[in-house]
């Protein structure tokens, strides 16, 4: 499909005219000048669509024009300002086939549009679909006069008088004789209708030959000796168009011609002073442009020396109609030109106001009056809580600039105490007071309906109403019997609780704190003769306002007295949203096909951590809106398509209130040619009206509105809760976008219980942390058995003087590559000096158990090497005198007595370089590693460092690998990416046994996680990636570290496969499955493998595996 490409340069002062008529795929495209502005008209199947541009082009200055079309998109660029139109009826192809008309169209050509006049001016460098017009000029048929000489002529006939005081004057000799005949012709253009002396021939008003006066679209002619005409010509002449005025004067007649409309003045007597010559000053003074000035049939050029110019520009004309081509006034406002701008008259009865009649006249509350109108003063205002498109009528209220800003609504009873008569009020609720809300200034009070009041309540965050009861021998709620006094809520509910007490409590305020008289639920229920009261305030918005009061006395046999006081309804703040969702990922967004124009956009947000794009719109022609939020600031970056580039409005959070405080905050903003503003809660940032020499195009964005992440921008999106999106008066249903990663309501990930094994979940709306410190597990979701890594001779020693061994066995799992290491040493002592000792370890790769200095070796295990960095499970049962090693039962363990004083040592403080990993350590019922890392300050524990000063670290034990947590432990902020490879690792081994274990970073401290992909908050085993706000710095550091690691890896592999002496049974690949196959966290499960003759294929392969090469190092610190 061919695209459209038109380019040309233009210079001229004609206000109207047709430049091109182009045949496009059997349809037409017309390029015209109207009101001095360029427009493109697409005519497709009889449908016309128009694209305007706001650059004034009829100023006789050179301008560059580009017109591009592709598909439904049409773009018109004049100089640097681009306008865009998305066609509803568009061309199937932009190739030109047929006759091309330049400068006008013959009358016999039917295009389906009203043709304008031919254009007069200069065109240069014209290319149509990359075809130079000079290449086709030899086939052109010329109608009228076409000349290059006119465009190259330096004679100046055009002048622009820029001010009301601007003038041109010169001397001319005037001959007074019998045959005197003078003529004067010129064209003028002006938008100024104020009275001005267009032309004066003479030295003063009292000594003149000719005066031409303009005033309010009328031209007056004053000729010496002639009777002035009352308004020689009345019609629109100050419209920005060119008008031609010619005057011919002789002794007896004055002929005036305006645009071919003629008037003739006749003198009653001839002009005196015959045969006398005078030098007369000719003065031209008005605000506008003048050209083609002819004096006595001779063309005048303003560059001639006889002319004196004051505030005049030559060879240009800046007079333009600011009400065109885009009508700048909204909502039926009337546009008028005023000097170098326009003015919109909204009308006394209009519901709109503002520089462009763009603002609805009534605010929604006093809160809005003061936050959106900086100069508003205390006084009466009319408010409309449900806005312009709501069903409720506006009503008056008195607004006071307080903190907080409060809207009050009064009622007919008033706020003074209302006395209840006794004689007509006997019985429960016998005296009825209906509440009619009303407000207004003096006699202009008007009734306010309950629905109008509810509208204000619903859009406010806090509302309250004072309700007090004063009594003497007059009960109130009378619990547990029938109440005698109550109030009625908005929907007619009789309420059995009083002010400041919970709804439905059947109490007054004193009853809530058990301070009422006579231990009643209300003071008045004590039925005392002395005057007492129950006072307080109603604050439950769901039941306000009070619509009726019911008061009654028990009887009239004794004097009883009461009065009731109901305050005005007071509301403040912004109500919480009702349509709420949660974005759970910074790479998650909602996309709406939406046109943004001069409307108010509103959205609410709530988060614990805010930093990202909340709203964005990227359209064609470099149009852009981007709303970003952070803890301390909200920024609105935008381009209003007027060639002014990007602009920004910012609102800073108030000193004690950040935007990440987990409270609702409301953002409202408006992008307008009259005035743009951004408001967050009570703080508003304004931008002044745009001032530019260009006409401002209507502000409309056609594009995709993104909420949250936008892939086109590529920056992190907002994560957290969103509510009540309004664009103009339209509310969008956010519930439609609920999916796996968009959660209904405002909920943090913990509601899905991601932490396993009773870990405690904490977090914000996109991240969560699992506190595993009170469990036997570690890891991001507390799903990994706690282990410990012993390196180069460090150890843990536990000592107890009063130890009660129960049960009487020791259990542990170990991984190591050390051929000689003491894994566990148990020593017990009695108070009378007896002692016993058990040592378990590896010697020359074989298992050795020493009981009271007697070494035990096991022939049935001699063929197995235990320094293979694989998991081995050990159970030493002292009651049954047996040991189980990887399901192999070994009998004949000597009897061992355990005394009350016990020392347990894990690790060998004399072993060589290398590492040992232990988990599932339970010795006589004592889970030693849990004690060590949950109560590291216990006096029973001692951490023995190695020669390098390193202590034993908490770790996850994995076949062929040990993953340790950072030391000291820190909180990680991590992201589980859906694209990250699942890191459960499959390992094939040459031994006869393989066990399963998951490779996953773990820590007993809270670890922040963010899940993305199709299943948010899903407990997946995945590589954890650390996020950092300083992404650029981390990227550079990561690249450097990556290069170093690659270099080390290459060197290691070279040593491993080339230099190192080969063993017969080298391990190249290892295979492990998930340690926790069924998610129960037990580490004593294994996966069967076949023998070595079957190439070590797993009999029951795990569900999710990947193949890795064996790593030489057995410990990787800070592995993420």
């Amino acid at each position: 499909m061919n695209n459209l490409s038109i380019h040309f340069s233009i210079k001229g002062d004609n206000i109207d005219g047709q430049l091109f008529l182009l045949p496009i795929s059997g349809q037409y495209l017309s390029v015209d000048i109207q009101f001095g502005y360029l427009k493109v008209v697409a005519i497709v199947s009889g449908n016309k669509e128009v694209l305007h541009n706001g650059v004034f082009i009829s100023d006789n200055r050179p301008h560059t024009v580009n017109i591009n079309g592709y598909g439904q998109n049409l773009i018109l660029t004049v100089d640097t300002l681009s306008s865009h139109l998305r066609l509803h009826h568009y061309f199937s192809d932009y190739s030109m086939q047929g006759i091309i008309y330049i400068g006008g169209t013959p009358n016999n050509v039917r295009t389906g549009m009203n043709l304008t006049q031919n254009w007069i001016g200069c065109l240069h460098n014209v290319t149509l679909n990359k075809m130079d017009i000079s290449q086709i000029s030899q086939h052109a048929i010329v109608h009228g006069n076409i000349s290059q000489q006119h465009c190259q002529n330096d004679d100046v006939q055009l002048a622009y008088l820029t001010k009301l005081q601007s003038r041109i004057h010169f001397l001319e000799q005037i001959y007074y004789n019998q045959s005197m005949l003078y003529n004067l012709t010129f064209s003028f253009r002006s938008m100024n209708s104020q009275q001005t002396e267009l032309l004066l021939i003479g030295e003063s008003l009292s000594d003149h030959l000719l005066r031409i006066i303009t005033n309010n679209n009328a031209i007056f002619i004053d000729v010496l000796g002639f009777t002035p005409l009352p308004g020689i010509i009345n019609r629109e002449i100050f419209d920005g168009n060119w008008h031609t005025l010619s005057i011919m004067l002789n002794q007896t007649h004055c002929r005036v011609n305006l645009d071919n409309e003629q008037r003739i003045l006749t003198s009653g007597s001839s002009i005196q002073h015959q045969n006398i010559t005078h030098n007369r000053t000719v003065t031209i003074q008005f605000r506008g442009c003048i050209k083609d000035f002819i004096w006595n049939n001779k063309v005048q050029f303003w560059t001639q020396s006889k002319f004196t110019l004051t505030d005049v520009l030559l060879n240009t004309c800046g007079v333009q109609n600011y009400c065109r081509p885009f009508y700048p006034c909204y909502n039926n406002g009337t546009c008028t030109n005023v000097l170098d701008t326009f003015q919109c008259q909204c009308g006394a009865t209009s519901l709109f106001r503002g520089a462009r009649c763009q603002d609805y006249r009534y605010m929604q509350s006093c809160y809005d009056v003061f936050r959106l109108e900086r100069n508003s003063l205390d006084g009466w205002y009319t408010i409309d809580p449900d806005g312009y498109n709501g069903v409720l009528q506006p009503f008056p209220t008195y607004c006071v600039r307080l903190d907080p800003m409060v809207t009050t609504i009064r009622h007919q009873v008033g706020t003074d105490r209302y006395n209840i008569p006794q004689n007509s009020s006997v019985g429960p609720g016998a005296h009825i007071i209906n509440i009619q809300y009303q407000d207004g200034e003096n006699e202009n009070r008007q009734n306010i309906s309950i629905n109008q009041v509810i509208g204000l309540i619903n859009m406010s965050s806090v509302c309250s109403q004072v309700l007090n009861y004063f009594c003497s021998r007059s009960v109130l709620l009378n619990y547990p019997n029938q109440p005698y006094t109550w109030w009625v809520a908005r929907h007619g509910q009789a309420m059995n609780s009083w002010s400041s007490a919970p709804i439905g409590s059947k109490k007054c305020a004193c009853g809530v704190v058990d301070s009422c008289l006579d231990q009643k639920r209300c003071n008045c229920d004590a039925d005392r003769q002395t005057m007492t009261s129950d006072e307080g305030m109603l604050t439950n918005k769901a039941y306000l306002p009070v619509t009726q009061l019911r008061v009654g006395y028990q009887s009239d046999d004794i004097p009883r007295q009461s009065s009731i006081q109901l305050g005005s309804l007071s509301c403040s703040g912004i109500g919480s949203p009702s349509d709420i969702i949660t974005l759970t990922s910074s790479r998650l967004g909602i996309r709406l096909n939406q046109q943004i124009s001069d409307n108010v956009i509103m959205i609410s947000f709530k988060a614990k951590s805010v930093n990202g794009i909340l709203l964005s719109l990227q359209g064609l022609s470099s149009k852009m809106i981007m709303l970003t939020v952070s803890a301390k600031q909200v920024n609105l970056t935008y381009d209003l398509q007027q060639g002014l580039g990007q602009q920004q409005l910012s609102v800073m959070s108030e000193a004690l209130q950040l935007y990440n405080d987990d409270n609702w905050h409301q953002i409202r903003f408006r992008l307008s040619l009259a005035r743009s503003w951004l408001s967050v809660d009570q703080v508003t940032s304004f931008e002044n009206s745009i001032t530019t020499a260009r006409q401002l195009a209507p502000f409309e964005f056609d594009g995709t509105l993104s909420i949250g992440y936008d892939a086109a921008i590529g920056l992190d999106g907002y994560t957290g809760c969103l509510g009540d999106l309004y664009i103009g008066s339209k509310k969008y249903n956010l519930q439609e976008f609920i999916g796996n990663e968009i959660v209904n309501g405002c909920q943090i990930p913990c509601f899905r219980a991601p932490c396993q094994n009773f870990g405690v979940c904490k977090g914000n709306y996109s991240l969560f942390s699992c506190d595993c410190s009170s469990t036997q597990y570690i890891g991001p979701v507390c799903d990994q058995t706690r282990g410990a890594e012993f390196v180069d001779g460090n150890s843990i020693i536990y000592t107890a003087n009063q130890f009660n061994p129960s049960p009487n066995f020791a259990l542990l799992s170990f991984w190591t590559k050390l051929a000689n290491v003491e894994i566990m040493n148990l020593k017990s002592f009695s108070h009378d000096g007896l002692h016993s000792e058990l040592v378990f370890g590896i010697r020359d790769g074989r298992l050795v158990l020493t009981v009271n200095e007697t070494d035990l070796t096991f022939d049935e295990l001699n063929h197995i090497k235990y320094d293979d960095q694989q998991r081995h499970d050990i159970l030493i049962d002292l009651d049954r005198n047996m040991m189980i090693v990887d399901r192999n039962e070994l009998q004949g363990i000597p009897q061992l007595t355990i005394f009350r004083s016990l020392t347990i040592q894990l690790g060998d403080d004399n072993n060589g370089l290398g590492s040992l990993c232990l988990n599932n350590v339970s010795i006589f019922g004592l889970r030693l590693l849990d004690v060590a890392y949950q109560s590291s300050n216990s006096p029973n524990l001692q951490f023995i460092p190695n020669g390098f000063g390193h202590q034993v670290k908490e770790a996850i034990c994995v076949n062929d690998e040990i993953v340790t947590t950072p030391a000291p432990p820190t909180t990680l902020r991590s992201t589980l990416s859906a694209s990250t490879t699942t890191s459960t690792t499959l390992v094939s081994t040459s031994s006869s046994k393989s066990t399963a274990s998951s490779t996953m970073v773990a820590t007993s401290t809270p670890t922040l996680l963010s899940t993305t992909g199709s299943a948010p908050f899903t407990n997946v085993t995945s590589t954890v990636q650390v996020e950092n706000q300083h992404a650029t710095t981390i990227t550079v550091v990561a690249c450097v570290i990556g290069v170093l690691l690659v270099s080390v890896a290459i060197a290691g592999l070279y040593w491993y496969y080339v230099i190192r002496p080969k063993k017969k049974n080298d391990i190249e690949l290892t295979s492990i499955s998930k340690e926790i196959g069924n998610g129960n966290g037990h580490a004593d499960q294994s996966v069967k493998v076949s023998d070595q003759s079957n190439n070590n294929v797993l009999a029951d392969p795990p569900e999710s595996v990947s193949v890795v090469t064996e790593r030489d190092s057995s410990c990787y610190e800070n592995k993420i």
Side-chain angles (χ1 to χ4, degrees):
M1 177 178 179
N2 293 324
N3 295 331
L4 177 68
S5 175
I6 300 174
H7 171 85
F8 59 91
S9 297
I10 186 172
K11 178 182 177 183
D13 57 34
N14 260 34
I15 292 296
D16 295 292
Q18 186 176 49
L19 298 179
F20 301 98
L21 182 66
L22 307 174
I24 307 292
S25 299
Q27 311 294 335
Y28 286 102
L29 189 77
S30 181
V31 182
D32 303 336
I33 293 179
Q34 187 178 35
F35 305 112
Y37 301 92
L38 204 63
K39 72 173 183 179
V40 178
V41 183
I43 310 164
V44 180
S45 300
N47 299 288
K48 291 188 293 185
E49 296 183 64
V50 182
L51 173 61
H52 292 280
N53 188 279
V55 176
F56 185 68
I57 207 169
S58 297
D59 54 2
N60 204 48
R61 293 184 175 179
H63 297 276
T64 301
V65 179
N66 287 281
I67 303 172
N68 299 98
Y70 54 95
Q72 291 180 258
N73 301 293
L74 201 58
I75 299 175
L76 169 61
T77 303
V78 180
D79 299 335
T80 60
L81 181 63
S82 295
S83 304
H84 168 253
L85 175 65
R86 192 171 185 85
L87 297 170
H88 296 91
H89 305 87
Y90 53 97
F91 302 98
S92 60
D93 187 87
Y94 282 100
S95 60
M96 298 184 189
Q97 301 173 353
I99 300 176
I100 298 173
Y101 296 94
I102 302 175
T105 306
N107 293 330
N108 59 352
V109 177
R110 296 184 178 181
T111 61
M113 64 178 292
N114 296 324
L115 298 178
T116 60
Q117 65 188 39
N118 292 358
W119 182 74
I120 301 173
C122 299
L123 291 174
H124 305 271
N125 304 321
V126 180
T127 60
L128 306 175
N129 280 355
K130 299 182 180 181
M131 179 173 56
D132 194 323
I133 192 174
S134 62
Q135 299 175 2
I136 60 174
S137 60
Q138 55 184 338
H139 305 292
I141 300 175
V142 178
H143 298 272
N145 182 24
I146 296 180
S147 172
Q148 294 185 355
Q149 182 178 0
H150 176 74
C151 295
Q152 299 170 355
N153 193 345
D154 295 330
D155 292 332
V156 178
Q157 301 182 45
L158 175 64
Y160 176 30
L161 292 82
T162 60
K163 301 178 180 179
L164 289 173
Q165 298 78 21
S166 299
R167 56 170 32 184
I168 301 174
H169 69 274
F170 59 96
L171 291 176
E172 280 290 344
Q173 288 186 340
I174 306 296
Y175 301 97
Y176 295 93
N177 54 47
Q178 190 66 32
S179 61
M180 181 186 83
L181 180 65
Y182 298 100
N183 61 75
L184 171 66
T185 302
F186 61 88
S187 297
F188 68 95
R189 193 169 102 197
S190 178
M191 295 297 302
N192 178 48
S193 61
Q194 299 179 19
Q195 179 172 340
T196 184
E197 201 155 62
L198 181 63
L199 185 137
L200 173 66
I201 302 177
E203 300 304 320
S204 65
L205 296 180
S206 60
D207 182 16
H208 67 273
L209 174 63
L210 174 67
R211 291 174 65 203
I212 302 177
I213 305 169
T214 63
N215 186 24
N216 294 328
N217 294 324
I219 291 182
F220 297 87
I221 309 297
D222 181 9
V223 184
L224 180 63
F226 286 59
T227 301
L229 294 181
I232 188 70
I233 297 177
N234 282 288
R235 65 186 182 87
E236 182 69 38
I237 55 176
F238 299 104
D239 55 2
N241 293 321
W242 285 110
H243 299 279
T244 301
L245 178 67
S246 65
I247 300 172
M248 187 181 69
L249 175 66
N250 60 22
Q251 287 278 347
T252 59
H253 293 82
C254 179
R255 180 179 289 111
V256 181
N257 191 304
L258 177 65
D259 298 334
N260 298 320
E261 185 175 344
Q262 184 173 276
R263 297 290 187 272
I264 298 176
L265 285 75
T266 303
S267 174
S269 61
S270 300
I271 298 176
Q272 304 298 316
H273 311 297
Q274 297 177 357
N275 301 316
I276 298 176
T277 301
H278 284 287
N279 289 327
R280 293 291 187 176
T281 300
V282 180
T283 302
I284 302 169
Q285 181 175 342
F286 74 110
R287 189 175 188 275
C289 299
I290 187 170
K291 70 173 181 177
D292 301 335
F293 189 80
I294 301 174
W295 179 268
N296 285 342
N297 302 317
K298 184 177 180 180
V299 177
Q300 305 295 309
F301 300 102
W302 304 121
T303 53
Q304 292 173 312
S305 60
K306 69 176 183 178
F307 291 104
T308 301
L309 310 177
T310 303
D311 294 325
V312 176
L313 299 178
L314 298 180
N315 212 25
T316 186
C317 181
V319 174
Q320 55 182 302
N321 187 341
Y322 287 93
C323 294
R324 300 291 184 176
F326 315 108
Y327 198 78
C329 303
Y330 299 116
N331 302 304
N332 299 318
T334 302
C335 180
T336 57
N337 283 271
V338 180
L339 297 180
D340 289 327
T341 185
F342 65 90
Q343 189 174 75
C344 293
Q345 303 292 336
C346 304
T349 61
S350 174
L351 293 176
F352 296 89
R353 59 191 176 90
R356 294 171 177 259
C357 307
Q358 78 279 7
D359 295 326
Y360 182 46
R361 185 172 295 277
Y362 307 121
M363 295 291 183
Q364 290 185 274
S365 67
C366 293
Y367 184 87
D368 285 349
V369 167
F370 293 117
R371 76 164 175 165
L372 298 180
E373 297 289 343
R374 290 175 290 185
N375 300 320
S376 295
L377 302 175
D378 296 353
W380 287 100
Y381 291 87
T382 299
I383 62 173
D384 189 359
D386 65 346
Y388 172 66
N389 289 302
V391 297
L392 303 177
Q393 292 297 311
F395 58 85
T397 187
Y398 193 83
C399 296
V400 180
R401 187 184 288 271
L402 297 174
D403 187 15
M405 303 170 195
V406 178
T407 303
T408 60
I409 302 179
R410 299 182 293 179
H411 51 78
Q412 95 283 7
V413 177
T415 57
D416 295 333
R417 290 165 60 169
Y418 179 90
N419 296 319
I420 308 299
Q422 182 178 0
N423 56 358
S424 60
S425 306
V426 176
H431 189 86
I432 301 175
I433 307 172
N434 292 313
I435 306 301
Q436 174 61 63
Y437 289 90
Q438 55 183 215
D439 222 330
E441 187 174 7
N442 300 325
E443 66 278 1
N444 294 324
R445 277 201 174 197
Q446 67 179 58
N447 290 339
I448 302 173
S449 70
I450 294 300
N451 287 334
Q452 287 174 297
V453 178
I454 291 174
L456 174 65
I457 293 173
N458 290 342
M459 60 93 51
S460 303
S461 60
V462 176
C463 291
S464 62
Q465 198 164 10
V466 170
L467 180 58
N468 301 328
Y469 190 64
F470 304 90
C471 56
S472 170
R473 303 301 301 268
S474 175
V475 297
L476 202 157
L477 296 182
N478 197 32
Y479 182 83
N481 301 311
Q482 168 73 35
Y484 273 82
T485 298
W486 62 87
W487 60 280
V488 178
R490 64 164 70 170
H491 295 305
Q493 312 102 306
M495 307 306 294
N496 60 359
S497 58
W498 203 247
S499 298
S500 300
I503 297 296
S505 64
K506 300 181 180 180
K507 295 180 181 180
C508 296
C510 62
V512 177
V513 295
D514 295 328
S515 63
C516 298
L517 298 175
D518 299 343
Q519 298 181 344
K520 297 290 185 178
R521 293 196 170 195
C522 295
N523 289 320
C524 289
D525 289 344
D527 202 18
R528 293 191 176 187
Q529 184 174 357
T530 57
M531 184 66 69
T532 186
S533 65
D534 285 291
E535 303 179 41
M537 185 175 293
L538 303 173
T539 58
N540 194 317
K541 288 173 49 181
Y543 296 91
L544 290 176
V546 176
T547 60
Q548 189 182 74
L549 297 172
R550 303 290 297 271
V551 185
Y553 295 114
Q554 302 95 300
S555 65
D556 58 0
D557 55 347
I558 60 174
R560 303 178 187 275
Q561 184 180 358
S562 70
S563 62
I564 198 165
Q565 183 181 35
L566 178 65
S568 300
L569 178 74
S570 298
C571 293
S572 63
I574 304 170
S576 298
S578 57
D579 179 22
I580 302 172
I581 60 172
T582 303
L583 301 182
T584 61
S585 168
S586 62
R587 287 294 185 269
L588 176 65
I590 296 171
R591 297 172 68 83
L592 296 171
N593 290 323
Q594 175 64 38
Q595 183 184 77
I596 304 296
S597 57
D598 193 338
N599 285 317
V600 175
I601 298 176
M602 183 180 77
I603 192 168
S604 298
F605 72 94
K606 174 183 177 182
K608 295 185 177 182
S609 174
V610 290
N611 188 22
I613 299 177
L614 184 59
L615 290 174
S616 62
L617 188 144
Q618 198 80 19
L620 297 172
S621 303
S622 301
K623 304 170 186 176
M624 186 267 289
I625 300 174
M626 187 163 66
L627 179 69
T628 60
V629 294
S630 63
K632 295 184 178 181
Q633 187 167 319
V634 175
N635 292 321
L636 177 64
T637 305
Y638 59 95
D639 184 347
L640 289 180
Q641 317 168 58
Q642 307 302 326
L644 303 176
Q646 289 187 9
Q647 301 174 73
Q648 187 175 82
L649 292 172
S650 298
V651 171
M652 299 292 295
S653 62
E654 297 180 299
L656 300 178
Q657 184 181 30
L658 299 179
Y659 297 135
N660 60 351
D661 59 357
D662 202 26
N663 290 316
W664 282 107
H665 299 278
Q666 186 190 79
I667 297 176
R668 288 200 283 180
F669 68 90
R670 182 173 197 162
L671 300 179
S672 172
L673 302 177
R675 184 185 65 172
S676 297
W677 52 264
L678 167 67
S679 178
V680 185
D681 300 334
Q682 299 186 53
V683 182
T684 305
S685 176
F686 296 91
E687 175 209 51
N688 292 328
S689 300
I690 297 175
T691 55
T692 175
R694 295 169 175 163
Q695 176 61 293
L696 301 178
F699 172 61
E700 292 182 349
F701 275 160
D702 279 320
T704 301
L705 177 67
S706 295
I707 304 172
Y709 177 69
D710 185 353
I713 299 176
L715 301 177
D716 283 353
Y718 164 84
T719 54
C721 301
L722 295 174
D724 288 354
L725 171 64
Y726 284 87
I727 300 178
S729 60
K730 181 179 179 180
K731 183 178 181 181
Y732 286 79
N733 183 12
L734 296 176
Q735 301 290 311
E736 295 179 357
F737 304 101
I738 293 174
N740 285 333
E741 293 187 75
I742 301 178
V743 182
N744 184 21
C746 189
Q747 305 181 69
I748 63 175
C750 290
F751 85 96
R752 298 201 180 199
C755 302
Q756 301 182 24
N757 301 304
F758 302 103
V760 178
C761 183
K762 303 174 183 178
N764 56 35
Y765 296 95
S766 62
L767 310 172
F768 72 90
S769 64
C770 292
D771 185 353
C772 312
S773 59
S774 62
T775 73
Q776 301 173 7
Y777 299 88
I778 57 177
V781 290
C782 308
D783 62 341
Q784 302 293 316
T785 303
R786 177 177 283 109
E789 181 197 23
F790 301 79
V791 180
D792 303 338
N794 51 20
S795 61
I796 298 175
I797 297 177
Y798 177 85
T799 303
N801 293 325
Q802 296 294 324
F803 190 81
N804 183 23
S806 177
N808 199 20
F809 63 80
L811 172 70
L812 61 83
S813 299
F814 74 88
W815 291 254
T816 187
K817 278 191 174 182
L818 294 172
N820 296 280
V821 61
E822 186 177 287
I823 297 175
M824 178 180 65
N825 186 314
L826 306 180
K827 294 180 181 179
S828 66
F829 306 89
S830 68
H831 64 280
D832 54 3
L834 299 177
H835 71 277
S836 61
E837 181 178 14
L838 183 148
V839 179
F840 170 75
I842 299 176
R843 186 181 302 159
D844 296 327
R846 314 298 181 191
L847 286 185
V848 175
L849 182 66
T850 302
V851 181
N852 292 331
E853 300 183 353
T854 300
D855 292 344
L856 302 177
T857 57
F858 307 97
D859 294 338
E860 54 267 57
L861 302 180
N862 284 341
H863 67 286
I864 302 175
K865 298 282 285 184
Y866 288 92
D867 56 350
D868 57 357
Q869 189 63 21
Q870 303 297 303
R871 171 180 162 183
H872 299 283
D873 300 322
I874 306 298
L875 171 64
I876 302 174
D877 191 339
L878 300 182
D879 288 336
R880 295 191 293 172
N881 298 328
M882 62 179 293
M883 181 170 71
I884 301 176
V885 180
D886 296 333
R887 299 184 181 180
N888 296 309
E889 295 187 5
L890 306 174
Q891 302 291 337
I893 304 300
Q895 183 72 33
L896 183 70
T897 302
I898 303 298
F899 301 103
R900 299 297 295 272
S901 294
L902 179 68
T903 299
I904 305 172
Q905 177 172 333
L906 298 179
D908 185 355
D909 53 7
N910 295 312
N911 69 354
L913 297 177
S915 63
L916 164 72
C917 195
L918 302 179
N919 75 7
N920 275 336
V921 178
S922 178
I923 301 175
F924 307 137
L926 175 68
R927 297 192 65 87
L928 187 53
L929 295 183
D930 294 335
V931 174
Y933 291 103
Q934 292 177 2
S935 305
S936 57
N937 296 324
S938 171
N940 301 88
L941 283 170
Q942 185 178 7
F943 286 82
I944 307 300
N946 57 24
F948 303 101
H950 299 155
Q951 293 187 352
V952 179
K953 295 182 178 180
E954 192 176 47
I956 297 174
C957 304
V958 181
N959 286 358
D960 292 302
E961 185 177 5
I962 300 173
V963 181
T964 60
T965 59
T970 59
T971 300
L972 301 177
R973 185 178 186 275
S974 309
T975 301
L976 292 178
S977 172
S979 61
T980 304
T981 305
T982 302
S983 60
T984 304
T985 311
L986 176 66
V987 184
S988 62
T989 175
S990 58
S991 79
S992 60
K993 182 183 294 290
S994 176
T995 57
S997 182
S998 297
T999 304
M1000 191 170 187
V1001 176
T1003 175
S1004 61
T1005 59
T1007 302
L1008 295 175
L1009 298 179
S1010 169
T1011 59
T1012 64
S1014 59
F1017 318 136
T1018 303
N1019 299 329
V1020 297
T1021 304
S1022 178
T1023 301
V1024 181
Q1025 301 172 330
V1026 175
E1027 286 186 353
N1028 195 296
Q1029 295 180 349
H1030 306 292
T1032 304
T1033 304
I1034 282 195
T1035 302
V1036 174
V1037 173
C1039 291
V1040 173
I1041 293 174
V1043 171
L1044 294 175
L1045 291 177
V1046 170
S1047 302
V1048 171
I1050 292 174
L1053 292 172
Y1054 181 80
W1055 174 85
Y1056 188 90
Y1057 290 102
V1058 179
I1059 301 176
R1060 181 180 65 89
K1062 299 296 188 292
K1063 296 181 181 180
K1064 182 176 180 179
N1065 292 320
D1066 275 350
I1067 301 174
E1068 181 176 354
L1069 297 178
T1070 55
S1071 304
I1072 63 172
S1073 64
K1074 293 184 179 178
E1075 177 180 348
I1076 308 174
N1078 58 6
N1080 60 11
H1082 295 170
D1084 57 354
Q1085 301 180 13
S1086 62
V1087 178
K1088 295 182 180 180
V1089 298
S1090 62
D1091 58 25
Q1092 189 172 356
S1093 62
N1094 289 328
N1095 297 320
N1096 303 314
V1097 177
L1098 291 174
D1100 297 307
E1103 295 180 1
S1104 179
V1105 297
S1106 62
V1107 179
V1108 298
T1109 58
E1110 182 190 45
R1111 298 180 174 128
D1112 184 61
S1113 173
S1114 60
C1115 176
Y1116 298 91
E1117 295 189 15
N1118 300 321
K1119 181 180 184 298
I1120 302 296

